[in-house]
Amino acid sequence: MINQVSIIQEISDINKAIGAPDLTAPISEILNSKEKTVYLSVLGQFKSGKSSLINSIIGESILPVGVVPVTAIVTRLIFGYEPGLIIRYINGKESHFDISELPAYVTEKLNPENVKEVAQAIVEHPSLEPFKNISLVDTPGLGSLYRHNDEAAKQWLPFTGMAIVTISAERPLSEEDITLLKGIVQYCPETALIITKADLFGDSEMMEIKDYISGSLKKINAGGIQLFEYSVNNQQKYREALIRNLILPLNNNSSNKIKQIVRHKTQNLMEQSISYAGLALQSAAKREKEKDSVNKILEDIRNNRHHHEREMLLSGSAFKDKVRSKLEKVVLPYLSGIRESIIIQFKTDFQDWKGSLYNVSRHYEYWLNIHIGEEIKRMNDDCFNSVIQIVRETAGYYQYSALQFRQRLDDKLSEVFGVRLPSAYWQIDFTGIDRPDINIYRTFDSHIDSLLFFLPINWFRNIFYRHYINQIPFETEKNLHRYISALTGKLIKTIDAIHEQALLYISNEIRNIENILQRPDTSYRTIQYYLERLENIKKKENAD
């Protein structure tokens, strides 16, 4: 390992010298970690069952389920003799808490927009004793390890040793899943794909789903990925198969697995470093021959960036302008059904209400709040995938647009220097949105409350029966529009965050290229030596 450390350090020094980004941090962390555990990351799209799967593996309900952890806080679970929670902050400090405090740091409701500046949550628990050599990693968002001031958003995937990807049997292998798997193959030597909700299909149907997935994986040169089934129903059966065939072999052979992971990541690192060194070499050659040519290329790249960012801004505004109308098309068709359901229930329940009009009115408000809330929650469960799809369409545009910019940048550099950028994985970090609250206005204005206090309901039952029943359509429609308004605000805020991610990605790519092309203090001969050294290291690694 000492030799490996020196190789990684040399590659890091070369990258710094030529102005290339520091790509060695993930491998250095693996080599220098005191834990010597394999990072087994559970990845997948929003609400694909990642947290539930981890809870099932360890046999404890530790990770929050049923809430949306949209702060993209990575949570690692490791063995500990006593249960405990370590919160690492962006500023480098640590705090220790009871495990019950975990949702306060990793969920949007209790830590909105990561106001607590959490970098990572680490859970220690004795339930992981059978897997002492594994660190299970829950990644609410695919993108960020953490965001630190003006630094680039660091992605967790390069730090991952082995990966589990969860997909639903209801929608096997979307384009997003394919993109993720391509990135994982680049960074991880081994991957397992877990098909969730397997209990919804019979044996023959699951066989068809597996055959479809296997065929799709072969098309992206990922045919070696292991397939497993999982369901929250009959967990024990699926859990035992997963632990026996994946988790325990990884745990028991962790030392060799770490060597395999380091080797895989080093090969990928060298390929990227060689590409950047080749670009630096050609830039130095052109700079020596044509003094102003590199500056003109940089100016062209910057102008193209401004044009591209303006195009994204206009497209983003158009997406946001259409959010409410799209939500109305999804939500308002439920109005009549919700209204009728509540009215039918009211006609039954009202007959048992007794007491003063004041007390009955307060009871009615409480009753209506509960029933509208229940109906909207049911509607929410039924249509929320359609709501999320609005954001996914926008995220898809931004991801495509940002990657198209990189492709045009790559084409420009190839045209001028004859060198291609290294392959890179990037995906929009979207983990979902939390759901809005339900609220009911009071049935009567406060100035007549005193008149109602002493009046018995039986004197005016028919009158107030009509009044109450007439309130239901108004309250139902009002709350659906309130729901739409709340979701509109959340979706617009999410679109703005996605837009910022795309801008950051473009900014980082430009900065990487600028650092390489604007390196006047490194001569052609020096860079040529660095490039030859990298290629020699690669040959030696491949020969070992």
Side-chain angles (χ1 to χ4, degrees):
M1 283 292 185
I2 295 175
N3 183 48
Q4 194 75 45
V5 171
S6 63
I7 288 173
I8 298 304
Q9 184 59 56
E10 183 174 1
I11 295 174
S12 177
D13 292 341
I14 290 174
N15 286 341
K16 289 176 184 176
I18 65 175
D22 183 11
L23 307 169
T24 60
I27 306 178
S28 295
E29 179 165 318
I30 294 172
L31 292 172
N32 298 323
S33 173
K34 295 178 181 178
E35 294 176 4
K36 297 303 178 188
T37 60
V38 178
Y39 285 167
L40 178 58
S41 296
V42 182
L43 308 164
Q45 301 304 325
F46 164 64
K47 297 299 283 183
S48 60
K50 299 185 294 293
S51 299
S52 296
L53 177 64
I54 292 178
N55 286 339
S56 176
I57 290 172
I58 62 179
E60 295 281 346
S61 297
I62 295 176
L63 296 175
V65 178
V67 290
V68 184
V70 297
T71 48
I73 305 300
V74 169
T75 304
R76 291 203 298 120
L77 294 90
I78 59 176
F79 168 71
Y81 290 102
E82 297 292 335
L85 172 64
I86 302 170
I87 297 297
R88 288 182 180 169
Y89 298 94
I90 290 173
N91 61 13
K93 295 182 179 179
E94 287 187 359
S95 296
H96 293 253
F97 301 96
D98 187 86
I99 287 181
S100 62
E101 295 294 313
L102 180 63
Y105 295 91
V106 300
T107 63
E108 173 66 13
K109 278 188 176 292
L110 301 179
N111 184 19
E113 299 181 34
N114 196 18
V115 294
K116 297 176 183 178
E117 298 188 332
V118 177
Q120 191 177 138
I122 302 172
V123 174
E124 296 179 326
H125 202 279
S127 294
L128 282 95
E129 185 171 13
F131 325 123
K132 284 184 178 181
N133 300 323
I134 295 175
S135 178
L136 282 166
V137 184
D138 184 26
T139 54
L142 297 176
S144 52
L145 170 58
Y146 56 84
R147 291 183 174 85
H148 188 293
N149 300 329
D150 295 328
E151 288 186 8
K154 296 183 179 180
Q155 291 196 315
W156 179 253
L157 187 53
F159 291 81
T160 296
M162 309 291 285
I164 289 177
V165 179
T166 57
I167 63 169
S168 172
E170 295 177 304
R171 50 186 295 271
L173 282 192
S174 65
E175 284 299 318
E176 293 168 308
D177 296 320
I178 292 293
T179 302
L180 172 61
L181 287 166
K182 287 179 179 178
I184 290 174
V185 170
Q186 179 180 343
Y187 289 108
C188 302
E190 288 186 35
T191 302
L193 197 151
I194 311 294
I195 307 170
T196 62
K197 300 184 181 179
D199 61 299
L200 297 179
F201 300 89
D203 292 341
S204 61
E205 292 174 312
M206 279 305 302
M207 187 63 69
E208 289 181 15
I209 291 172
K210 285 184 175 180
D211 287 343
Y212 168 77
I213 292 174
S214 296
S216 300
L217 293 176
K218 288 178 182 177
K219 290 179 182 178
I220 61 169
N221 297 320
I225 292 178
Q226 300 181 72
L227 297 182
F228 294 91
E229 298 174 28
Y230 172 78
S231 172
V232 292
N233 299 316
N234 198 6
Q235 284 189 38
Q236 194 63 26
K237 166 190 169 184
Y238 297 110
R239 178 178 184 267
E240 288 175 357
L242 186 62
I243 290 176
R244 181 176 63 254
N245 298 313
L246 178 68
I247 307 298
L248 285 179
L250 177 59
N251 179 79
N252 298 338
N253 196 30
S254 62
S255 183
N256 287 333
K257 289 294 182 183
I258 289 174
K259 293 178 183 178
Q260 182 184 0
I261 290 163
V262 169
R263 183 179 181 85
H264 184 89
K265 290 184 181 295
T266 301
Q267 290 173 343
N268 181 54
L269 166 64
M270 286 189 294
E271 292 291 345
Q272 291 180 304
S273 299
I274 287 170
S275 294
Y276 281 124
L279 177 59
L281 182 68
Q282 295 305 316
S283 172
K286 199 167 190 67
R287 189 164 49 240
E288 290 181 5
K289 291 181 180 179
E290 307 171 47
K291 187 175 181 180
D292 297 326
S293 61
V294 174
N295 289 333
K296 289 179 181 178
I297 293 165
L298 282 170
E299 184 178 357
D300 183 42
I301 290 173
R302 289 167 186 150
N303 288 337
N304 183 42
R305 169 190 177 176
H306 294 313
H307 171 75
H308 194 88
E309 289 180 349
R310 176 171 174 75
E311 183 181 286
M312 285 200 307
L313 180 64
L314 294 173
S315 297
S317 297
F319 279 121
K320 290 189 288 186
D321 289 342
K322 295 176 182 176
V323 165
R324 187 175 183 95
S325 63
K326 288 183 176 181
L327 284 175
E328 288 176 347
K329 289 179 181 178
V330 171
V331 173
L332 292 182
Y334 289 88
L335 175 59
S336 60
I338 293 175
R339 182 176 57 218
E340 293 306 313
S341 176
I342 294 174
I343 288 174
I344 290 171
Q345 189 63 45
F346 171 77
K347 289 177 179 179
T348 300
D349 293 353
F350 179 72
Q351 306 305 319
D352 298 328
W353 295 356
K354 297 175 183 178
S356 70
L357 283 172
Y358 177 87
N359 290 334
V360 170
S361 292
R362 298 291 82 79
H363 178 75
Y364 168 74
E365 290 163 2
Y366 173 79
W367 179 94
L368 192 56
N369 196 322
I370 294 296
H371 282 274
I372 288 183
E374 289 175 348
E375 290 292 335
I376 290 182
K377 285 175 183 175
R378 275 193 284 270
M379 176 209 71
N380 200 30
D381 292 338
D382 189 49
C383 74
F384 208 66
N385 282 339
S386 299
V387 172
I388 296 301
Q389 189 59 31
I390 295 173
V391 182
R392 280 192 167 136
E393 289 172 1
T394 308
Y397 159 76
Y398 277 113
Q399 184 167 305
Y400 174 79
S401 182
L403 293 175
Q404 280 294 103
F405 176 83
R406 191 182 197 273
Q407 184 59 53
R408 288 202 290 268
L409 181 62
D410 185 37
D411 291 341
K412 181 68 177 178
L413 295 174
S414 176
E415 175 190 338
V416 176
F417 299 110
V419 177
R420 290 284 182 184
L421 288 173
S423 59
Y425 167 79
W426 180 75
Q427 192 165 12
I428 284 289
D429 176 13
F430 169 62
T431 56
I433 57 175
D434 60 338
R435 307 179 187 199
D437 297 325
I438 309 300
N439 186 36
I440 304 294
Y441 291 149
R442 298 190 68 174
T443 311
F444 298 103
D445 293 332
S446 59
H447 69 277
I448 66 169
D449 275 348
S450 58
L451 297 176
L452 300 175
F453 192 85
F454 298 104
L455 296 177
I457 184 66
N458 289 337
W459 291 7
F460 304 96
R461 179 172 290 276
N462 291 336
I463 294 174
F464 283 94
Y465 170 83
R466 290 193 296 273
H467 175 76
Y468 293 150
I469 209 166
N470 288 336
Q471 287 286 103
I472 291 174
F474 167 76
E475 288 291 343
T476 301
E477 185 171 0
K478 180 199 70 182
N479 273 277
L480 278 184
H481 281 286
R482 184 195 299 274
Y483 172 90
I484 291 169
S485 296
L487 273 182
T488 298
K490 290 175 183 292
L491 264 61
I492 287 175
K493 193 173 183 180
T494 301
I495 290 171
D496 285 338
I498 289 172
H499 180 88
E500 289 300 317
Q501 285 185 55
L503 290 180
L504 180 60
Y505 175 78
I506 290 173
S507 175
N508 290 340
E509 291 298 307
I510 292 292
R511 184 172 59 198
N512 289 340
I513 300 306
E514 286 179 337
N515 288 342
I516 292 172
L517 299 186
Q518 292 178 315
R519 207 76 175 181
D521 55 337
T522 310
S523 68
Y524 178 88
R525 290 182 180 276
T526 301
I527 298 174
Q528 189 175 41
Y529 166 76
Y530 288 147
L531 180 57
E532 289 173 354
R533 179 61 188 146
L534 286 171
E535 289 174 340
N536 287 334
I537 293 173
K538 179 183 175 182
K539 288 179 182 177
K540 186 176 180 180
E541 284 288 309
N542 290 338
D544 289 344

